[in-house]
């Protein structure tokens, strides 16, 4: 079992910045990918950014150049630095942790979500 807790969400004006943090605990030895998803009202949950144990990253096209995912392995923390925020970034952001082997997801964990609201 892995427990994930997000923090750092809030209200920010367009053009501003926020940094989200996700703390992991439990049986984290098996995790090899972590990331961030978001879900706006009436829309499906979408991948924002991910990072593997090897350091490979992926970003949604809508956030490339503005968001950066990073990690602190010693503290079991993953961050999402969000710059140049836009109103369309408003959503609940969820921390993700999983284990993927040969494209198969063998473990899958989610945080409780943190609200990010960007005002115009």
């Amino acid at each position: 079992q892995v427990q994930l807790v997000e923090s750092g969400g809030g209200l920010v004006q367009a053009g501003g910045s926020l940094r989200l943090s996700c703390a992991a605990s439990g049986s984290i030895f098996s995790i090899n990918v972590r990331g961030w998803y978001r879900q706006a009202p009436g829309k499906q949950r979408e991948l924002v950014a991910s990072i593997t144990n090897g350091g490979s990253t992926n970003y949604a096209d809508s956030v490339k150049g503005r968001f950066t995912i990073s990690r602190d392995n010693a503290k079991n923390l993953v961050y999402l630095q969000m710059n140049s925020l836009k109103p369309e970034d408003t959503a609940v952001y969820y921390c993700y942790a999983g284990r993927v082997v040969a494209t198969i997801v063998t473990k899958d964990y989610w945080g409780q979500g943190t609200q990010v609201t960007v005002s115009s």
Side-chain angles (χ1 to χ4, degrees):
Q1 287 289 303
V2 172
Q3 295 79 45
L4 303 173
V5 180
E6 305 99 330
S7 62
L11 176 64
V12 65
Q13 293 184 354
S17 298
L18 285 173
R19 189 176 78 159
L20 306 183
S21 299
C22 178
S25 61
S27 301
I28 59 176
F29 67 91
S30 63
I31 299 299
N32 63 5
V33 61
R34 297 185 67 175
W36 293 91
Y37 287 72
R38 68 185 181 187
Q39 187 168 25
K43 299 185 66 177
Q44 292 185 323
R45 188 174 299 186
E46 64 175 350
L47 175 68
V48 177
S50 65
I51 185 167
T52 68
N53 284 2
S56 297
T57 58
N58 283 304
Y59 296 93
D61 288 342
S62 60
V63 307
K64 286 180 179 177
R66 300 188 297 120
F67 291 10
T68 302
I69 188 169
S70 61
R71 67 186 181 210
D72 183 340
N73 289 334
K75 299 180 179 180
N76 298 320
L77 292 171
V78 172
Y79 305 99
L80 185 67
Q81 179 67 46
M82 304 185 294
N83 298 326
S84 302
L85 283 162
K86 304 174 181 179
E88 50 263 44
D89 294 318
T90 296
V92 177
Y93 284 70
Y94 295 91
C95 182
Y96 170 84
R99 181 170 178 80
V100 181
V101 180
T103 76
I104 304 299
V105 179
T106 60
K107 297 181 183 295
D108 197 51
Y109 304 97
W110 297 89
Q112 81 285 354
T114 186
Q115 177 70 47
V116 172
T117 302
V118 184
S119 64
S120 59

